[in-house]
Amino acid sequence: MRIGEVAALVGVTPRAVRHYHHLGLLPEPLRRSNGYRDYGVRDAVLLARIRRLTELGVGLDEVRDVLADTEGHDLREVLEELDADLARQEALRRQRRTRLAELLAQAQAGSLLPEGPVSPELSGLLAALGDPGDSPMAVKDREHLAFLDAATPKERRVSLMAALQEMREHAGQVYSLLDGLAGQKPDGPHVARAASALAALLPDGLAAHVPDTDAHGLAEALYEDLAPAQAAAVHRALELVKRRQEGPA
């Protein structure tokens, strides 16, 4: 059989056959006197096996290992790993569809947040905070929260949002303090007073989210988005919360 004939017989393209030759998965067959490859039944069987394995999702490197193993051990291991991987993908797909159903329900009810889609934790927090009103800091805070929601690993995000939920009743006071610092100098006494007032409003749970070093640059990005006096006050307030939670030395 010529390459086009064996490819059609097995259900692949001649290009795929040449690719398998190039990778060493399919041995080169004998050639006729005119130089054309001459494929036999064994070549077709091997080619069909390669096709079936790739259709199952087995990678070509793994196909090579399977074909080299004469006792079938590698094939069993590869199929077990593939089955486990497919199970993980199915679980993830179910989780995504569940989340999508929630978002669709919110959209149909007209309650989908403008910052969405966001995590369920942030969605609950934003709903509790309500309309930002005329406060520039409240508007900016929603942007910051959406940024943290996307950039923070899930295990940390859940506890962070839970800590922030504790301060929702004082959010208006926090925003008012920070709005008052817009345009102020970062080294004035008003910054220290605002930082103390902020610290009194912030929950102790936030202390766990004040890193000694910020490897991912999240804090730096948030501070840079604030006015200098606001950034200075927030930084001092968080340090005060951390010291308060740690207790006297």
Side-chain angles (χ1 to χ4, degrees):
M1 291 181 286
R2 298 271 293 275
I3 187 170
E5 294 171 332
V6 72
L9 178 66
V10 174
V12 298
T13 65
R15 182 178 180 180
V17 177
R18 295 189 186 94
H19 185 55
Y20 298 151
H21 282 315
H22 177 72
L23 295 178
L25 298 177
L26 186 66
E28 285 282 349
L30 296 175
R31 291 183 180 266
R32 299 178 181 178
S33 58
N34 58 8
Y36 289 125
R37 295 183 179 94
D38 188 15
Y39 295 89
V41 172
R42 288 187 178 180
D43 299 310
V45 170
L46 180 56
L47 183 58
R49 191 179 186 201
I50 295 171
R51 178 183 62 80
R52 286 194 295 269
L53 287 169
T54 56
E55 286 176 347
L56 284 171
V58 179
L60 293 179
D61 287 339
E62 294 172 316
V63 169
R64 178 182 290 103
D65 294 337
V66 169
L67 297 179
D69 183 68
T70 58
E71 297 182 6
H73 298 305
D74 279 353
L75 177 58
R76 184 186 66 233
E77 293 170 1
V78 166
L79 293 178
E80 288 173 349
E81 292 175 1
L82 180 61
D83 182 64
D85 184 58
L86 289 174
R88 286 191 294 270
Q89 291 181 40
E90 289 175 358
L92 180 59
R93 193 175 297 112
R94 285 194 296 270
Q95 292 174 5
R96 288 175 175 171
R97 291 204 66 189
T98 298
R99 179 60 182 145
L100 179 59
E102 295 172 354
L103 292 172
L104 284 172
Q106 292 175 15
Q108 291 165 355
S111 59
L112 186 64
L113 295 168
E115 295 84 0
V118 295
S119 71
E121 297 81 20
L122 178 56
S123 179
L125 176 58
L126 292 178
L129 291 174
D131 191 333
D134 297 327
S135 168
M137 192 62 230
V139 175
K140 188 178 290 291
D141 188 48
R142 294 175 80 92
E143 295 175 354
H144 291 175
L145 290 171
F147 171 67
L148 287 172
D149 186 58
T152 306
K154 181 179 180 180
E155 59 276 8
R156 289 184 55 206
R157 184 185 70 232
V158 172
S159 59
L160 172 60
M161 295 301 168
L164 291 173
Q165 279 277 12
E166 296 180 30
M167 61 162 286
R168 64 186 183 277
E169 294 180 2
H170 307 297
Q173 294 171 266
V174 171
Y175 297 147
S176 179
L177 282 167
L178 292 174
D179 283 334
L181 293 175
Q184 300 287 337
K185 294 182 179 180
D187 54 355
H190 51 282
V191 170
R193 290 194 296 269
S196 297
L198 282 173
L201 297 172
L202 300 179
D204 288 347
L206 277 181
H209 300 281
V210 183
D212 295 324
T213 57
D214 188 7
H216 301 288
L218 298 182
E220 285 83 352
L222 293 175
Y223 288 139
E224 288 175 0
D225 197 45
L226 295 172
Q230 292 173 336
V234 170
H235 185 270
R236 291 186 189 184
L238 289 174
E239 287 299 323
L240 288 172
V241 172
K242 189 174 183 180
R243 292 174 193 170
R244 182 179 71 206
Q245 198 274 336
E246 291 173 348

